[in-house]
Amino acid sequence: MTITREFKHALSVGILAAVVAVGVAGTAAAETIRIAHATWAGFGPLYLAKEKGYFKKHGLDVELNVMEEGPLRFAALRGGQVDIVSTSPDAGLLFMKKAGEFKYVGMLDQSYGADGVVANKDIKTVADLKGHSVAVMKGSVSEYWLNLLLLPTGVKESDLDTVDMTPGDAGAAFVAKKVDAAVTWEPWLSRAKKTDHGNVIVDSTTTPGALGDTLVMKTDYADSHAEQLKRLLEAWSEAVEFARQNPDEANKIMAAGVGGWLKDPKAFGEVLASIQFYDLKQMSAFVGTPDKPGPFQDVLANAVKIWAGLGKMKVDTKPSDIIFYKAFQ
């Protein structure tokens, strides 16, 4: 049988068309991973990974959504509007309605001086807060961290005159001399230090790993997307490395993506100075394994102890039950 040039050409075109069709179909079939987060510099590499094509490189289609309020983010997670919530490790415990409902995947970043307690200059230590008015947002990571700081002192939150305020309002109230102390974050730490009456008595450099951001999702989603989650973390890690090597370009991209009060690259960079991103190697060490747990287990154990002690947890759970180790196996 003689194969003509025309037949060869038609065969080649047909094979090429089939390959292209398969590729297009594979792309079209890629499931979108929908992530919700608040406006915070710690989430910047998500936008960097998207802009630089790292998600696409790892076969992922990622949609990023800004949702400021924790209750709204977890309502969207529970309602199926988003697949993953990026939030502080303690937060998921507050929204868990039944044991085993959520899984925690990795640790994206940690606050390293971005959070702190500002107080009048006559207040020198956390223990000295006893009997003073302290602005802190109830049911938030700020309240969790305040109680973590109080643990070794013997002083309890009930020994303080707490005033429920958002971190930003708390910082502003302290600068305006309306409260004796406040649990807040940048830029209010710097502003407080510039006042005649204020100083920072402690910041998050003293509690490494306690404040940061993780990925929280439903357990069934984690179990059915273990491979995608591995690739998501790999893409994140590549973005982190790019940011380390190209800070100016990275900050512009991340600031534009995160937006809000961080849309100015200069402001973004100033906040970023007190945040540390985790690459995949650091993340893996922080999480550890079921047989050799890393520091993440201690962070969650403290969060469970604190929220349970304050009567704000609805379920009884253990850190080992909610850490998704499979993303690193």
Side-chain angles (χ1 to χ4, degrees):
M1 176 179 171
T2 302
I3 300 178
T4 65
R5 180 183 299 174
E6 290 78 8
F7 181 79
K8 288 181 179 180
H9 176 70
L11 184 61
S12 298
V13 170
I15 292 173
L16 178 61
V19 170
V20 171
V22 169
V24 171
T27 301
E31 179 184 355
T32 300
I33 299 175
R34 301 163 299 172
I35 302 176
H37 66 86
T39 301
W40 182 239
F43 304 123
L46 291 171
Y47 289 90
L48 195 55
K50 192 173 182 69
E51 177 69 21
K52 285 294 179 181
Y54 299 137
F55 286 141
K56 187 176 181 180
K57 171 185 173 181
H58 289 277
L60 303 173
D61 178 33
V62 177
E63 175 186 297
L64 302 172
N65 304 276
V66 176
M67 295 184 185
E68 302 294 3
E69 301 299 326
L72 293 180
R73 291 197 297 274
F74 279 92
L77 179 65
R78 195 166 270 117
Q81 284 79 45
V82 299
D83 306 304
I84 300 172
V85 168
S86 295
T87 188
S88 59
D90 70 290
L93 301 173
L94 295 175
F95 295 98
M96 197 179 295
K97 292 185 177 180
K98 58 182 179 180
E101 181 181 14
F102 297 147
K103 287 293 185 184
Y104 284 53
V105 179
M107 193 74 169
L108 303 180
D109 63 88
Q110 72 163 338
S111 171
Y112 198 72
D115 298 78
V117 179
V118 295
N120 291 333
K121 289 185 176 179
D122 61 323
I123 299 173
K124 305 297 183 181
T125 68
V126 174
D128 294 339
L129 292 172
K130 185 175 182 178
H132 289 279
S133 58
V134 181
V136 59
M137 186 175 179
K138 296 297 185 71
S140 77
V141 66
S142 294
E143 185 181 22
Y144 149 70
W145 187 53
L146 173 61
N147 279 271
L148 181 66
L149 294 171
L150 290 172
L151 274 180
T153 70
V155 177
K156 297 181 180 179
E157 184 181 334
S158 57
D159 295 322
L160 316 179
D161 178 16
T162 55
V163 183
D164 191 4
M165 291 185 178
T166 65
D169 289 343
F174 175 76
V175 169
K177 298 184 178 181
K178 294 181 179 179
V179 292
D180 300 325
V183 185
T184 186
W185 50 41
E186 290 292 8
W188 293 105
L189 301 182
S190 297
R191 293 177 184 177
K193 285 190 284 189
K194 292 178 181 178
T195 65
D196 293 333
H197 66 284
N199 71 133
V200 178
I201 61 173
V202 64
D203 66 31
S204 52
T205 60
T206 64
T207 54
L211 297 179
D213 298 293
T214 184
L215 301 175
V216 181
M217 64 207 68
K218 292 181 180 178
T219 296
D220 57 354
Y221 183 87
D223 288 337
S224 62
H225 292 76
E227 181 57 37
Q228 290 94 326
L229 292 172
K230 288 181 184 179
R231 288 188 267 128
L232 180 70
L233 298 182
E234 289 170 356
W236 164 276
S237 189
E238 288 191 40
V240 168
E241 183 57 32
F242 181 89
R244 290 171 178 170
Q245 299 298 325
N246 308 275
D248 292 339
E249 181 183 353
N251 285 357
K252 290 179 181 178
I253 295 172
M254 293 190 290
V258 174
W261 63 282
L262 289 169
K263 64 181 179 181
D264 179 359
K266 181 180 178 182
F268 191 96
E270 289 173 350
V271 173
L272 202 58
S274 52
I275 294 174
Q276 293 180 340
F277 294 132
Y278 283 70
D279 59 30
L280 195 58
K281 183 178 180 180
Q282 292 168 317
M283 202 183 300
S284 180
F286 192 78
V287 172
T289 67
D291 295 331
K292 294 183 178 180
F296 198 21
Q297 180 151 310
D298 292 332
V299 169
L300 290 175
N302 282 328
V304 168
K305 180 178 180 179
I306 288 168
W307 286 137
L310 292 173
K312 294 187 177 183
M313 276 187 66
K314 300 180 178 68
V315 298
D316 182 21
T317 190
K318 296 182 297 184
S320 57
D321 294 336
I322 57 179
I323 298 175
F324 191 67
Y325 293 104
K326 291 180 182 178
F328 300 93
Q329 296 173 350

